[in-house]
Amino acid sequence: MITPSRPFVAVACAVIQGADGRILAAQRPFNKSLGGKWEFPGGKIETGETPADALVRELEEELGIHTQVDRALSVVHYDYEAFSIELHPFVVTILAGEMIAKEHEEIRWITLEEAPAIDWAEADIPIWQELARR
């Protein structure tokens, strides 16, 4: 449930799965909101963009990869103390490019079994939980 009194942000994020089944997790910059927390890579949806289009753009900007959006997962609504977020997660495939963490402290491949031990941004937790249930 989104609380109207907080600033609102709409974000698209990617579940990128490697050939070995591991998923990509990205650590937020320490000097930004939710610094040091782990998340699925992505970014804000700009006016006039679809969530899928925003995600393709953001992955190119942040990781240097060209991707294809395969399918949507459940949208997550979460109220942080300072803002409310609507998170649009998608399963994506990498088409080209060499992945470089341009805007994250670190990126790493993890198994779904390792996910509970990571310090995730709270809005991202339902995403890996949905994947684990499948």
Side-chain angles (χ1 to χ4, degrees):
M1 174 103 168
I2 301 295
T3 303
S5 61
R6 292 184 176 102
F8 170 79
V9 61
V11 173
C13 69
V15 174
I16 302 171
Q17 199 163 21
D20 61 1
R22 293 183 299 162
I23 56 174
L24 187 74
Q27 188 177 35
R28 291 188 57 76
F30 292 115
N31 63 345
K32 292 206 172 178
S33 173
L34 306 174
K37 296 259 187 190
W38 290 82
E39 66 182 359
F40 291 99
K44 292 179 183 170
I45 301 167
E46 294 180 358
T47 303
E49 281 185 315
T50 67
D53 290 342
L55 184 56
V56 169
R57 175 186 53 76
E58 286 283 351
L59 292 173
E60 188 170 341
E61 291 172 3
E62 291 187 2
L63 296 175
I65 55 175
H66 300 282
T67 56
Q68 164 187 301
V69 174
D70 296 327
R71 65 185 166 92
L73 298 172
S74 301
V75 175
V76 176
H77 299 272
Y78 191 84
D79 285 336
Y80 288 102
E81 190 173 318
F83 64 95
S84 293
I85 188 170
E86 181 178 85
L87 191 53
H88 297 260
F90 294 91
V91 174
V92 305
T93 301
I94 299 172
L95 299 176
E98 189 169 327
M99 199 169 337
I100 300 167
K102 297 178 183 179
E103 297 191 22
H104 288 93
E105 292 294 325
E106 179 184 348
I107 54 175
R108 79 167 69 141
W109 295 97
I110 64 162
T111 65
L112 285 172
E113 292 77 23
E114 294 169 318
I118 292 175
D119 185 19
W120 291 94
E122 288 81 356
D124 289 74
I125 293 171
I127 299 167
W128 63 257
Q129 289 176 335
E130 180 178 345
L131 293 170
R133 285 192 301 270
R134 293 182 178 220

